[in-house]
Amino acid sequence: MPNELWIAGAGSGKTHKIIQNAIDIINTGGRVLVVTYTVNNQAELRSRFIKMYGKSSDNFIVKGLLSFYLEDIVRPYQSVIFPERIAGITFTENNPHLIPGTTTWLPNRQERIDRTINPLHYLTPCKTSAYSGLLAKLAALVSKMANNAPAKRLNEIYQRIFFDEVQDLVGWDYDVIKSLSNVMPDSICCVGDFRQTIYTTTFGQKKPLTRKEKIQYFSAIKFQQCTLSRNRRCIQRICDLSDLIHPDSDHKTESEVKKIPEALADHHGVFAVRHSQVREYLDTYNPQVLRWSSTTGKKFLPEGLTCYSFGTSKGLGFDRVLVIAPEKHLNFLSGDHKAFDKDKTEESRNKLYVAITRARYSLAFAVEEKLLGKLPFPLWNRAGQ
């Protein structure tokens, strides 16, 4: 079986599938590594494994992406470049080589000086800590200079390596996967939903960056693609709405939710709610509020209400959701298909997709009066209809 790319739509049960696949391998004597970016997802994977397997196992290993780069690729073979042990990681949201607030590089920070690799490009001045934003680039370099020794070692240890939330990877991350796949042509599975790309692992403009570029990259390195398009979380009406957010997607999401719990059956589907009636809606249905930012909706939301931002809600699911969206999102849902055209990235569009697909049974949008007649959703009123 070739290396695989699972494009796993929201609510498709990707975590369940990863763990079930891992358990099947462990039961035949194999060992599995799952690499993922966020701490929350690492904890979720470990918790779900214990729930499904019944106990922990030394043959099921979960690592953060940066820890994987440092511990499994860079550090064991760093002597091909740097003699001193790289002890840790220094986190960098932006390029550490630029003078703050400018595009001007600090002196002596280029990758090579007189054709020699410059440690100050990858490491802090003490030369014992790697910049997080350049760790994938360093891992790719170490792999190349060590003649793919990291991949050969990993191939001896693990029967299968999963890279979860692969949509958040960019640039050099993909070069690392390519170097591994050259040695492990049938042991790697990458899993993600490119419509949920709202984080990136590093700064810079190295491709692949966009959803299309990433999928094409996997195709170029001969990954077999499959789509998990059956949604186990959302009712069909919500699935249909989510499919509209990325009109170029080539598949339709089918809901596996065939029955709505009796306690929720009185209110399901997609609705619009006037700003002036938001408090009544909250009192009536107690939905989880998702909002664009910490200031969105402050004028009409009760003080002290527990809310998630669109980004922090990723990976979660709720029976009922009330979305406090920016006007651009509401314009798009009202039929303005050019609402995102001026965006430099797909982040805003993707966050709308994430927000919509958190809801299981009912999804409502808080709307000001001027947009009430434009949204194609029934308007909730005091009678709860």
Side-chain angles (χ1 to χ4, degrees):
M1 181 185 298
N3 289 332
E4 296 178 322
L5 169 65
W6 297 351
I7 300 180
S12 63
K14 71 174 181 62
T15 300
H16 179 91
K17 187 172 176 64
I18 289 172
I19 293 172
Q20 187 58 63
N21 193 294
I23 289 173
D24 292 343
I25 291 169
I26 291 168
N27 286 340
T28 59
R31 201 170 195 216
V32 173
L33 171 65
V34 184
V35 180
T36 191
Y37 185 53
T38 65
V39 173
N40 287 344
N41 204 42
Q42 293 166 46
E44 174 71 6
L45 284 159
R46 293 187 184 102
S47 174
R48 292 280 293 277
F49 177 83
I50 292 173
K51 184 176 181 180
M52 291 177 63
Y53 192 60
K55 59 182 178 179
S56 61
S57 171
D58 292 338
N59 291 319
F60 182 76
I61 309 298
V62 178
K63 286 194 174 186
L65 180 69
L66 299 180
S67 296
F68 169 71
Y69 286 154
L70 181 61
E71 297 170 6
D72 291 279
I73 298 180
V74 173
R75 192 183 284 158
Y77 303 95
Q78 68 169 75
S79 61
V80 298
I81 306 176
F82 305 127
E84 297 181 43
R85 184 177 187 272
I86 301 173
I89 301 169
T90 295
F91 290 89
T92 53
E93 291 187 9
N94 302 304
N95 190 334
H97 303 317
L98 299 181
I99 296 173
T102 75
T103 57
T104 303
W105 276 57
L106 294 164
N108 301 317
R109 296 293 185 92
Q110 62 266 43
E111 183 179 6
R112 295 175 183 263
I113 298 177
D114 296 330
R115 298 184 180 181
T116 300
I117 295 170
N118 176 18
L120 293 181
H121 182 73
Y122 294 101
L123 310 178
T124 55
C126 66
K127 299 180 183 178
T128 61
S129 185
Y131 291 120
S132 64
L134 292 164
L135 195 50
K137 184 179 181 181
L138 178 58
L141 178 62
V142 168
S143 292
K144 180 179 179 180
M145 296 189 68
N147 296 316
N148 277 336
K152 295 172 185 175
R153 172 179 171 270
L154 288 164
N155 198 33
E156 293 176 353
I157 298 173
Y158 299 105
Q159 185 172 346
R160 197 145 178 84
I161 298 179
F162 291 91
F163 288 90
D164 195 14
E165 303 289 3
V166 73
Q167 74 274 357
D168 295 329
L169 306 187
V170 293
W172 292 104
D173 298 314
Y174 281 80
D175 284 27
V176 174
I177 291 175
K178 180 180 179 180
S179 72
L180 295 175
S181 68
N182 288 336
V183 175
M184 308 171 71
D186 56 2
S187 305
I188 300 172
C189 179
C190 292
V191 186
D193 182 359
F194 297 98
R195 295 170 297 181
Q196 295 190 64
T197 306
I198 57 177
Y199 304 114
T200 55
T201 55
T202 188
F203 51 81
Q205 295 300 313
K206 177 176 169 55
K207 294 181 179 181
L209 292 169
T210 67
R211 179 163 46 102
K212 183 178 180 180
E213 289 169 355
K214 293 174 184 180
I215 293 174
Q216 288 176 340
Y217 192 102
F218 277 114
S219 177
I221 60 175
K222 310 302 182 183
F223 272 59
Q224 179 176 297
Q225 179 180 319
C226 65
T227 300
L228 308 181
S229 59
R230 296 179 69 86
N231 188 308
R232 304 174 4 157
R233 177 190 301 147
C234 313
I235 62 172
Q236 190 64 54
R237 177 67 185 92
I238 295 173
C239 290
D240 291 343
L241 179 62
S242 72
D243 282 347
L244 298 177
I245 308 305
H246 297 88
D248 58 339
S249 293
D250 58 359
H251 68 273
K252 176 179 171 58
T253 305
E254 182 178 348
S255 173
E256 289 191 351
V257 181
K258 304 305 181 185
K259 185 176 181 181
I260 299 172
E262 186 176 344
L264 302 167
D266 63 323
H267 182 71
H268 60 275
V270 183
F271 304 88
V273 179
R274 290 186 174 91
H275 285 183
S276 61
Q277 293 189 332
V278 161
R279 291 189 180 227
E280 288 182 75
Y281 188 81
L282 293 172
D283 290 340
T284 304
Y285 298 114
N286 192 32
Q288 176 58 58
V289 174
L290 308 182
R291 57 184 178 178
W292 175 253
S293 71
S294 60
T295 59
T296 309
K298 287 187 70 173
K299 291 183 179 180
F300 53 85
L301 288 175
E303 289 187 13
L305 184 69
T306 299
C307 304
Y308 287 95
S309 69
F310 291 4
T312 58
S313 73
K314 186 178 176 183
L316 303 177
F318 309 97
D319 289 344
R320 287 172 167 161
V321 167
L322 173 65
V323 175
I324 317 297
E327 187 170 338
K328 176 167 64 176
H329 287 181
L330 298 176
N331 286 337
F332 177 84
L333 294 172
S334 298
D336 180 6
H337 296 153
K338 296 183 178 180
F340 296 108
D341 284 1
K342 294 182 179 180
D343 291 359
K344 294 182 179 179
T345 71
E346 293 187 310
E347 180 182 353
S348 182
R349 183 191 294 269
N350 293 346
K351 283 186 174 180
L352 175 59
Y353 174 83
V354 168
I356 288 172
T357 53
R358 298 314 93 194
R360 295 189 181 99
Y361 306 113
S362 72
L363 172 69
F365 293 88
V367 184
E368 57 185 323
E369 293 291 334
K370 69 178 182 180
L371 288 175
L372 282 179
K374 297 182 180 180
L375 282 172
F377 315 132
L379 177 64
W380 180 82
N381 61 32
R382 286 181 176 84
Q385 298 176 342

